[in-house]
């Protein structure tokens, strides 16, 4: 039974938002929350990191903002990646192993914390246009195994530019609201 539901869900994911929004609400009962567009749920004007920002500064940004990931923009404002706390932890852990190996071989030590965001971010960023359905965003997040997606503009004046962020928590709030 689950395979049939999953198959129907994946098949329906290929429908356009306009087609889905024109269907009666009872056709959406197995979807993630109500039929909403990403732009209705996302966090607008998200905080971001610059690609050239020092890792130490980025770590302070994480702690003060209480977010676990940020989009990364280049000097022209183009979305180039995402940096998460997991990325920092992974790099720091790997550095400890490499430093131990270098110490044993008498090689010069390098310091991850002296690097910049662009060296440690996940690139390219997983992103979705603002005019897609939240169910499509949820599917993308599951497929890519990410906790957040950068939202890019889909209107003539902002195509491809960072306009928001959508997290698992945002989607869960929609699902909970649909139950009430």
């Amino acid at each position: 039974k689950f395979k049939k539901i999953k198959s129907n869900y994946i098949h329906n994911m290929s429908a356009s938002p306009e087609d889905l929004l024109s269907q009666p609400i009872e056709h959406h009962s197995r979807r993630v929350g109500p039929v909403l567009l990403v732009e209705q749920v996302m966090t607008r004007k998200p905080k971001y990191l610059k690609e050239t920002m020092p890792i130490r500064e980025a770590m302070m940004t994480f702690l003060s903002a209480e977010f676990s990931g940020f989009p990364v923009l280049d000097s022209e404002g183009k979305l180039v990646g995402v940096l998460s706390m997991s990325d920092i932890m992974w790099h720091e852990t790997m550095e400890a192993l490499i430093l131990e190996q270098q110490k044993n071989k008498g090689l010069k030590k390098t310091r991850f914390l002296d690097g910049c965001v662009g060296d440690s971010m996940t690139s390219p960023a997983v992103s979705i246009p603002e005019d897609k359905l939240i169910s499509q965003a949820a599917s993308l997040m599951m497929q890519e195994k990410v906790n957040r997606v950068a939202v890019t503009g889909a209107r003539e004046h902002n195509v491809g530019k960072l306009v928001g962020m959508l997290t698992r928590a945002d989607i869960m709030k929609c699902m909970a609201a649909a139950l009430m």
Side-chain angles (χ1 to χ4, degrees):
K1 183 176 178 180
F2 176 73
K3 286 182 180 180
K4 183 177 181 184
I5 291 170
K6 184 178 177 185
S7 173
N8 288 340
Y9 179 78
I10 291 170
H11 173 72
N12 288 335
M13 290 305 297
S14 62
S16 74
E18 294 80 18
D19 292 341
L20 292 170
L21 289 170
S22 67
Q23 295 174 0
I25 193 68
E26 56 270 9
H27 290 280
H28 302 287
S29 62
R30 295 204 183 264
R31 297 198 177 281
V32 178
V35 180
L36 292 172
L37 297 176
V38 168
E39 66 187 336
Q40 294 172 290
V41 178
M42 70 183 187
T43 299
R44 295 181 183 280
K45 298 181 183 176
K47 293 183 179 190
Y48 59 88
L49 305 175
K50 287 287 192 175
E51 185 177 33
T52 56
M53 177 186 276
I55 285 292
R56 291 175 192 271
E57 187 179 333
M59 288 176 70
M60 297 313 293
T61 303
F62 276 106
L63 296 174
S64 65
E66 298 182 359
F67 290 121
S68 62
F70 289 97
V72 179
L73 305 181
D74 66 12
S75 60
E76 297 172 2
K78 180 182 170 197
L79 178 66
V80 292
V82 172
L83 183 70
S84 69
M85 286 183 175
S86 296
D87 293 327
I88 292 174
M89 290 171 58
W90 185 86
H91 282 281
E92 182 64 19
T93 302
M94 294 310 300
E95 181 183 57
L97 295 171
I98 291 168
L99 285 174
E100 186 61 34
Q101 290 174 349
Q102 289 176 340
K103 179 180 158 187
N104 293 338
K105 294 180 181 179
L107 299 173
K108 181 182 174 187
K109 295 179 182 179
T110 58
R111 292 290 306 157
F112 159 72
L113 292 175
D114 293 331
C116 65
V117 168
D119 299 330
S120 304
M121 68 185 180
T122 299
S123 183
V126 177
S127 64
I128 190 163
E130 64 187 336
D131 63 350
K132 298 298 182 189
L133 294 168
I134 60 166
S135 56
Q136 292 171 306
S139 179
L140 176 65
M141 291 167 82
M142 290 186 308
Q143 178 184 343
E144 296 294 328
K145 297 179 176 81
V146 295
N147 300 328
R148 70 198 59 78
V149 291
V151 181
T152 56
R155 309 290 187 274
E156 187 175 317
H157 67 282
N158 66 358
V159 172
K161 294 190 181 217
L162 178 69
V163 296
M165 286 296 288
L166 185 71
T167 66
R168 292 179 304 172
D170 296 328
I171 293 173
M172 291 298 291
K173 288 174 190 172
C174 289
M175 291 171 66
L179 296 174
M180 295 180 181

